[in-house]
Amino acid sequence: MRFLIANDDGIYSPGLAILATVAKGFGDVQVVAPDVEQSSASSSISANRPLTFRATKVIDGVEAYRVNGTPADCVALGLFHRDDVDVVLSGVNLGPNLGNGLWHSGTLAAARQAALLGVRGIAFSTPAVHDNPELSDLAPYIAQVMEMLLPRDDLRLVNVNLPARPRGIRWTRQAVEQYDGEVVPAKDPYGRPVFWLAVTQLQEHSPETDLWAFERGYVTITPILLDATDHAALGAVNPSERIMEFDQPDPQLLADSEEAASRAQHEPVTVERASDG
Amino acid sequence: MRFLIANDDGIYSPGLAILATVAKGFGDVQVVAPDVEQSSASSSISANRPLTFRATKVIDGVEAYRVNGTPADCVALGLFHRDDVDVVLSGVNLGPNLGNGLWHSGTLAAARQAALLGVRGIAFSTPAVHDNPELSDLAPYIAQVMEMLLPRDDLRLVNVNLPARPRGIRWTRQAVEQYDGEVVPAKDPYGRPVFWLAVTQLQEHSPETDLWAFERGYVTITPILLDATDHAALGAVNPSERIMEFDQPDPQLLADSEEAASRAQHEPVTVERASDG
Amino acid sequence: MRFLIANDDGIYSPGLAILATVAKGFGDVQVVAPDVEQSSASSSISANRPLTFRATKVIDGVEAYRVNGTPADCVALGLFHRDDVDVVLSGVNLGPNLGNGLWHSGTLAAARQAALLGVRGIAFSTPAVHDNPELSDLAPYIAQVMEMLLPRDDLRLVNVNLPARPRGIRWTRQAVEQYDGEVVPAKDPYGRPVFWLAVTQLQEHSPETDLWAFERGYVTITPILLDATDHAALGAVNPSERIMEFDQPDPQLLADSEEAASRAQHEPVTVERASDG
Amino acid sequence: MRFLIANDDGIYSPGLAILATVAKGFGDVQVVAPDVEQSSASSSISANRPLTFRATKVIDGVEAYRVNGTPADCVALGLFHRDDVDVVLSGVNLGPNLGNGLWHSGTLAAARQAALLGVRGIAFSTPAVHDNPELSDLAPYIAQVMEMLLPRDDLRLVNVNLPARPRGIRWTRQAVEQYDGEVVPAKDPYGRPVFWLAVTQLQEHSPETDLWAFERGYVTITPILLDATDHAALGAVNPSERIMEFDQPDPQLLADSEEAASRAQHEPVTVERASDG
């Protein structure tokens, strides 16, 4: 099996090294990771500038490249340069990715980018322990999860969190009941207000969610969607309201519109501002 | 009704101005937007530095603030400063947000951040037309969509795209069949390789998707999920495999693990790297 | 006379607007400025990515472009697009640029970039007064300084600071006796140490320096060097030590060295790291 | 002797490792370097956000910290944390820093920041050789330069360039006759114009300049100024014009002005824009 390893903590993270080391036991490994920490990058991509892809020595015996971009950028470039990748592994992130934090996670985003490009993606995260970086203790658990997940090619995108000393493994759903962030006001040295976005400790978790299981010492495995549509809400729309035609669609306007839409889609997300001309 | 208006094109975008202008017809309006273009920012947040929130004059009669951060940052700060917001409107983005492009969209991410924080979010996008910035032509269509959606407080997060001259309105699902991005190799002035991430034109779209309807001249309305779990895949896991207990869970290890997990969650996503000590 | 106006506060700064307005009284004006605030950017340039140069409407009747880069980038692109510029004006910066602060100033750097490219540069700065933005009060003083300096084409680079209500004008030297910055420790929301770089108030200034005159209410005018060499120190080197030849310079090695040096200079400052291959 | 080692290529650069290794032969060594490449950063500092200072293992037996900021930031934080540093060494930069390129150099800026803070600074640069990273060959030359310069505490700031195989050492002045940069137009994937800033090869150099000597295979040593004033130009100002008093200085206005100036200097370079209120 051929693996591409990415992360969001940057190419020199020990979390990436342990993941690459474990993956070598399952097949060929190549690393493509950001040149510097890209935390909370979500699925951001660098649409306004070109990226570099540079060979870097970080792990003995592993071909590795660093990219001056986001986790999703890394996977896009990695899969561009090598078209035979079977699974993209992301992490191991130093810090868990659970609950609504998933929406901001660059670790999951690297795995998601793989899945968007047709390659399976698995994201791994673990709490960062300041005084004892024994990530090697996690190796057997990572290996066990890979043994479970690698044969399951129906699972296109999976998010895994590993507590420090797991008592077991549970398949879970994402906890979405609460948001685990808050704004913390502070002052700059001149006394002017500034605002930090900080992660908060949630007190209670719904049973069987990723947060709930993780706090109870389980490795959590959560299959993740690639379709953002709320199909339940869509299905609940009154059929008579699902399609509304405006009166008198002028055929010329319509033709113009289709052409404009076609052109427009060719445009990148960051187009010249209309008012600038 | 009280609105907060955000975007990803930056506070000086004419798309933001037209959205704020229309929204003023429906209630109170405040603007909180990035100080500079933040395209393809997805749900990235600025977790490693504090943000500023500065009063800025951009639209006559509208209280406005600029933030040196991402679209999601803007909404987090805006809702921190004002707790009576009913709906966050994001956009109008100059460039459509359709199909898999949704995963990278900062416009949708601003609306999503609202929904994560318990406030309804609606994202608006339109093709950017270089030579004719008549965004004011869109005003009646934006107003019509707001008339349809504002009473629907069951819809927590909605993505809207407006073609240049709409022929109607359709409720759609996200097109997820193809990825509309590609890597384009180029050279820097020294002949060294660099790589752009570019949006590609997809040729065919599945019926009733956002891309399909938008190309046919319809305003598209897509309800968006806040739960990233793939419940179908989760439900398909063999019940005997959903929970796996490791042998002989040492009670002490377990207690340690819970404490570590609890501590870990207190940590932000970007913790001190374990190996740094 | 043909002017290019740049700054480091960004294209929407009122300081840029007042400078462009005054300059229109002296000749043709074009604006090229950063799309967002670039404070303390010094003479940094964007060597690793290409820049955009986009027409933007900011001041009635003035052709203006915004650049996604530093002040020095703006001037480089502005002079590339228009080869008939007589003088580059930078500012008016909202915040003075005096003493050792000059080394960090992006406002002076924009003017310096002009001078490096063979075009005269003049930088303007003024204290930012929060509660009374009457920059228009400065217009006659800016005009008076321009009347003094524009005929002096022997002055390639000049730094000007305008107090709020000037009592006169003084030619000054840069105050270099003290550094006006300090490190201010703080904590992030998790209690971890962070460090701000802050400007400090210096208590005493040597007479006739820019800081000394500015505090006494004078507009300060300081001619600035383009040669960073400390000629006094260079001249003091013992002649017998100024050139040292190593023994037995192998002619082949020397030839290799010259060729390598020639190649090397072709390389940009940010070359591929040697160890990466 | 106590050394602080910084650079602009980032803490994982082999150039930093060789410099630290050589310096260990002369005394105590501590490393403080950017977490990622910061090329062409000049003397930019991070004035708008706090910085982190994190212990990092990069060179065996050397205490090292990485900073999420510029080269000048690194030296400011390094000297804040350790007040007994005798000399700050910067580099070895992978790419020469010569001629007008000095104005953009982050390597020199790190050494300059030391000098601004009262500590001697020496910057080292060398051509980057792609296919043979034998920086260790440079070690004896670095050592020889240090032996020459360390006893010279009258030299507060020195810029050193090392060709691949030096034939000797020359004290030189900065070549300022030409600018070695150009704008190179290109296209993004959508055919829109973008512009690279690139280093150009200069054809001729004035004798005894750094560029001239470096091309001839010499290690170049250039003492650098900390006073940016053009004293020759200042001295040439007609004495009658050096001080101009405006008529009728209103005492109250003057008092206000001094107070405002005093307050203003307390402000950072990046003040709240006056027009924002």
Side-chain angles (χ1 to χ4, degrees):
Chain A
M1 226 167 187
R2 288 166 300 265
F3 299 101
L4 185 70
I5 317 274
N7 76 349
D8 79 348
D9 284 330
I11 194 160
Y12 297 102
S13 168
L16 184 139
I18 190 69
L19 185 54
T21 302
V22 173
K24 281 168 72 175
F26 290 83
D28 290 334
V29 169
Q30 190 178 87
V31 164
V32 182
D35 54 6
V36 73
E37 192 178 315
Q38 292 279 332
S39 291
S40 301
S42 188
S43 280
S44 59
I45 54 172
S46 299
N48 289 326
R49 61 180 176 89
L51 300 159
T52 54
F53 183 80
R54 294 178 172 168
T56 304
K57 283 179 186 156
V58 282
I59 303 161
D60 280 343
V62 174
E63 194 178 335
Y65 298 87
R66 68 181 196 279
V67 172
N68 57 343
T70 68
D73 289 342
C74 291
V75 171
L77 287 203
L79 295 180
F80 172 78
H81 281 88
R82 188 175 172 182
D83 61 5
D84 62 353
V85 174
D86 295 303
V87 179
V88 170
L89 306 175
S90 176
V92 179
N93 193 62
L94 301 183
N97 279 303
L98 298 157
N100 276 317
L102 282 198
W103 290 111
H104 306 303
S105 167
T107 307
L108 177 58
R112 181 190 291 125
Q113 191 66 25
L116 293 175
L117 291 165
V119 176
R120 295 168 56 198
I122 308 175
F124 292 89
S125 305
T126 197
V129 183
H130 286 244
D131 41 8
N132 181 16
E134 283 311 318
L135 291 175
S136 56
D137 289 354
L138 287 179
Y141 301 105
I142 297 169
Q144 186 165 0
V145 169
M146 287 178 65
E147 274 166 23
M148 287 173 64
L149 295 181
L150 292 182
R152 296 284 305 269
D153 62 11
D154 57 314
L155 296 173
R156 306 309 295 172
L157 180 57
V158 182
N159 186 50
V160 178
N161 280 270
L162 302 121
R165 294 185 198 83
R167 64 183 280 183
I169 298 177
R170 284 181 101 102
W171 291 73
T172 59
R173 65 175 175 89
Q174 179 192 17
V176 294
E177 289 75 13
Q178 296 171 275
Y179 184 69
D180 61 344
E182 65 178 338
V183 174
V184 179
K187 298 279 186 189
D188 76 9
Y190 310 98
R192 299 174 305 187
V194 294
F195 304 90
W196 293 88
L197 300 189
V199 175
T200 54
Q201 174 78 349
L202 301 180
Q203 294 307 316
E204 294 179 25
H205 305 301
S206 300
E208 304 304 328
T209 61
D210 51 2
L211 276 169
W212 180 90
F214 186 79
E215 287 211 346
R216 277 151 191 80
Y218 289 96
V219 175
T220 64
I221 300 179
T222 308
I224 302 291
L225 279 175
L226 291 172
D227 180 354
T229 312
D230 184 343
H231 286 281
L234 186 59
V237 175
N238 190 318
S240 70
E241 294 172 356
R242 293 185 74 155
I243 303 173
M244 176 187 310
E245 302 281 347
F246 295 150
D247 292 342
Q248 303 156 312
D250 178 330
Q252 181 56 43
L253 285 187
L254 179 56
D256 289 356
S257 172
E258 282 182 347
E259 184 200 318
S262 172
R263 270 208 321 276
Q265 207 210 331
H266 234 126
E267 301 296 326
V269 181
T270 60
V271 293
E272 178 68 27
R273 297 187 194 176
S275 70
D276 288 349
Chain B
M1 225 166 188
R2 286 166 301 266
F3 299 101
L4 186 70
I5 318 275
N7 76 348
D8 79 348
D9 284 329
I11 196 162
Y12 297 103
S13 168
L16 184 138
I18 190 70
L19 184 54
T21 302
V22 173
K24 281 170 72 175
F26 290 82
D28 290 334
V29 169
Q30 191 178 88
V31 164
V32 182
D35 56 6
V36 74
E37 194 178 314
Q38 292 281 330
S39 291
S40 301
S42 188
S43 280
S44 59
I45 55 173
S46 300
N48 290 326
R49 62 180 176 89
L51 300 160
T52 55
F53 183 81
R54 293 179 172 165
T56 304
K57 283 179 186 155
V58 282
I59 302 163
D60 281 342
V62 174
E63 195 177 335
Y65 298 88
R66 69 181 196 278
V67 172
N68 56 343
T70 67
D73 290 343
C74 291
V75 171
L77 288 202
L79 295 180
F80 173 78
H81 281 89
R82 187 174 173 182
D83 61 6
D84 62 354
V85 174
D86 296 301
V87 179
V88 170
L89 307 175
S90 176
V92 177
N93 192 62
L94 301 183
N97 279 302
L98 297 158
N100 276 317
L102 282 197
W103 289 110
H104 306 302
S105 168
T107 306
L108 177 59
R112 180 190 292 124
Q113 190 66 24
L116 291 174
L117 292 165
V119 176
R120 296 168 55 199
I122 307 175
F124 292 89
S125 305
T126 198
V129 182
H130 286 244
D131 42 8
N132 182 17
E134 283 310 319
L135 292 173
S136 57
D137 289 352
L138 288 179
Y141 300 105
I142 297 169
Q144 185 165 359
V145 169
M146 288 178 66
E147 273 166 24
M148 287 173 64
L149 295 181
L150 292 181
R152 296 285 305 270
D153 62 10
D154 57 315
L155 296 172
R156 307 309 294 172
L157 179 58
V158 182
N159 186 51
V160 178
N161 280 271
L162 301 121
R165 295 183 197 86
R167 64 183 279 182
I169 298 176
R170 285 180 101 103
W171 290 74
T172 59
R173 65 176 176 86
Q174 180 192 17
V176 294
E177 289 75 11
Q178 296 170 273
Y179 184 68
D180 61 344
E182 64 177 338
V183 174
V184 179
K187 298 280 186 186
D188 76 6
Y190 310 99
R192 298 175 305 189
V194 295
F195 305 91
W196 294 86
L197 301 189
V199 175
T200 54
Q201 174 78 352
L202 301 180
Q203 294 308 316
E204 293 180 24
H205 306 301
S206 299
E208 304 305 326
T209 62
D210 51 2
L211 276 169
W212 180 91
F214 185 78
E215 288 212 344
R216 278 152 189 77
Y218 290 95
V219 175
T220 64
I221 300 180
T222 308
I224 302 291
L225 280 174
L226 291 173
D227 181 353
T229 313
D230 183 343
H231 285 280
L234 185 58
V237 175
N238 190 320
S240 69
E241 295 172 356
R242 293 187 72 156
I243 304 172
M244 175 188 309
E245 301 283 346
F246 296 149
D247 292 343
Q248 304 155 309
D250 178 331
Q252 182 54 43
L253 285 186
L254 180 57
D256 290 356
S257 172
E258 282 182 348
E259 186 199 318
S262 172
R263 272 209 319 276
Q265 207 211 334
H266 233 126
E267 301 296 327
V269 180
T270 60
V271 292
E272 179 69 26
R273 298 185 194 178
S275 69
D276 289 349
Chain C
M1 226 166 188
R2 287 164 301 264
F3 299 102
L4 186 71
I5 317 276
N7 75 349
D8 80 347
D9 285 330
I11 195 160
Y12 297 103
S13 167
L16 184 139
I18 189 70
L19 184 53
T21 302
V22 173
K24 281 169 71 175
F26 290 81
D28 290 334
V29 169
Q30 190 178 88
V31 164
V32 182
D35 55 6
V36 73
E37 195 177 314
Q38 291 280 330
S39 290
S40 300
S42 188
S43 281
S44 59
I45 54 172
S46 300
N48 290 326
R49 62 180 175 89
L51 300 160
T52 53
F53 184 79
R54 293 179 172 168
T56 306
K57 282 178 186 156
V58 282
I59 302 162
D60 280 343
V62 175
E63 194 177 334
Y65 298 87
R66 69 182 197 277
V67 171
N68 57 343
T70 69
D73 290 342
C74 291
V75 171
L77 287 203
L79 295 180
F80 172 78
H81 281 89
R82 187 174 172 183
D83 61 6
D84 62 354
V85 174
D86 296 302
V87 180
V88 169
L89 306 174
S90 176
V92 177
N93 193 63
L94 301 182
N97 279 304
L98 297 157
N100 277 317
L102 283 198
W103 290 111
H104 306 302
S105 168
T107 307
L108 177 58
R112 181 189 291 124
Q113 191 65 25
L116 291 175
L117 292 166
V119 176
R120 296 168 55 199
I122 307 174
F124 293 89
S125 304
T126 198
V129 183
H130 285 243
D131 40 10
N132 182 15
E134 282 311 318
L135 291 174
S136 56
D137 289 354
L138 288 179
Y141 300 106
I142 297 169
Q144 186 165 359
V145 169
M146 287 178 66
E147 274 167 22
M148 290 173 63
L149 295 181
L150 292 181
R152 297 285 305 271
D153 61 12
D154 57 313
L155 296 172
R156 306 309 295 172
L157 180 57
V158 182
N159 186 50
V160 178
N161 280 270
L162 303 121
R165 294 184 198 84
R167 65 184 279 183
I169 299 176
R170 284 182 102 104
W171 291 73
T172 59
R173 65 175 175 88
Q174 180 193 17
V176 294
E177 289 74 13
Q178 296 171 274
Y179 184 68
D180 61 343
E182 64 178 338
V183 173
V184 179
K187 298 278 187 189
D188 78 6
Y190 310 99
R192 299 174 304 186
V194 294
F195 305 91
W196 293 86
L197 300 189
V199 175
T200 54
Q201 174 78 352
L202 301 179
Q203 294 307 316
E204 294 179 24
H205 306 301
S206 300
E208 305 304 329
T209 61
D210 52 0
L211 276 169
W212 180 91
F214 186 78
E215 287 211 346
R216 278 151 191 79
Y218 289 95
V219 175
T220 65
I221 300 181
T222 308
I224 302 291
L225 280 174
L226 291 173
D227 180 355
T229 312
D230 184 342
H231 286 281
L234 186 58
V237 175
N238 191 318
S240 69
E241 294 173 357
R242 293 187 73 156
I243 303 173
M244 175 188 309
E245 302 281 348
F246 295 149
D247 293 339
Q248 302 156 310
D250 179 330
Q252 181 56 44
L253 285 186
L254 179 56
D256 289 356
S257 172
E258 283 182 349
E259 184 200 317
S262 171
R263 271 209 320 276
Q265 207 209 333
H266 233 125
E267 301 296 325
V269 181
T270 60
V271 293
E272 178 69 26
R273 297 186 193 176
S275 69
D276 289 348
Chain D
M1 226 165 187
R2 287 166 300 267
F3 299 102
L4 186 71
I5 317 274
N7 76 349
D8 79 347
D9 284 330
I11 194 161
Y12 298 102
S13 168
L16 184 138
I18 189 70
L19 184 54
T21 301
V22 173
K24 282 169 71 175
F26 291 82
D28 290 335
V29 169
Q30 190 179 87
V31 164
V32 182
D35 54 7
V36 74
E37 193 179 316
Q38 291 280 330
S39 290
S40 301
S42 188
S43 281
S44 58
I45 54 173
S46 300
N48 290 326
R49 61 180 176 88
L51 299 159
T52 55
F53 183 81
R54 294 179 172 167
T56 305
K57 282 179 188 155
V58 282
I59 302 162
D60 280 343
V62 175
E63 193 177 335
Y65 299 87
R66 69 182 196 278
V67 172
N68 57 344
T70 68
D73 290 342
C74 291
V75 171
L77 287 203
L79 295 179
F80 173 80
H81 281 89
R82 186 174 175 184
D83 61 7
D84 63 354
V85 174
D86 296 303
V87 179
V88 170
L89 306 175
S90 176
V92 179
N93 192 62
L94 301 183
N97 279 302
L98 298 157
N100 276 316
L102 283 197
W103 290 111
H104 306 301
S105 168
T107 307
L108 176 59
R112 181 189 293 125
Q113 190 65 24
L116 292 174
L117 293 165
V119 176
R120 295 169 55 201
I122 307 175
F124 293 89
S125 306
T126 197
V129 182
H130 286 243
D131 40 9
N132 180 18
E134 282 311 317
L135 291 174
S136 57
D137 288 353
L138 288 179
Y141 300 106
I142 297 170
Q144 185 165 359
V145 170
M146 288 179 64
E147 274 166 23
M148 289 173 63
L149 295 181
L150 292 182
R152 297 284 306 270
D153 63 10
D154 56 314
L155 295 173
R156 307 308 296 171
L157 180 57
V158 182
N159 186 50
V160 178
N161 280 272
L162 302 122
R165 295 184 197 85
R167 62 183 281 181
I169 299 176
R170 285 181 102 103
W171 291 73
T172 58
R173 64 175 177 87
Q174 179 192 17
V176 295
E177 289 74 11
Q178 295 171 275
Y179 184 68
D180 61 344
E182 64 177 338
V183 174
V184 179
K187 299 279 185 186
D188 77 6
Y190 310 100
R192 299 175 304 186
V194 296
F195 306 91
W196 293 87
L197 301 188
V199 175
T200 54
Q201 173 80 349
L202 301 180
Q203 293 308 315
E204 295 179 24
H205 307 300
S206 300
E208 305 305 328
T209 60
D210 51 1
L211 276 169
W212 181 90
F214 186 78
E215 287 212 345
R216 277 149 190 79
Y218 289 96
V219 175
T220 65
I221 301 180
T222 308
I224 303 290
L225 280 174
L226 291 173
D227 181 353
T229 312
D230 183 343
H231 286 281
L234 186 59
V237 175
N238 191 318
S240 69
E241 294 173 356
R242 293 187 72 155
I243 304 173
M244 176 188 308
E245 301 282 346
F246 295 151
D247 294 342
Q248 304 156 310
D250 178 330
Q252 182 55 44
L253 286 186
L254 180 56
D256 289 356
S257 172
E258 281 181 350
E259 185 199 317
S262 171
R263 271 208 321 274
Q265 207 210 332
H266 233 124
E267 301 295 328
V269 180
T270 59
V271 293
E272 177 70 27
R273 297 187 193 177
S275 69
D276 290 350

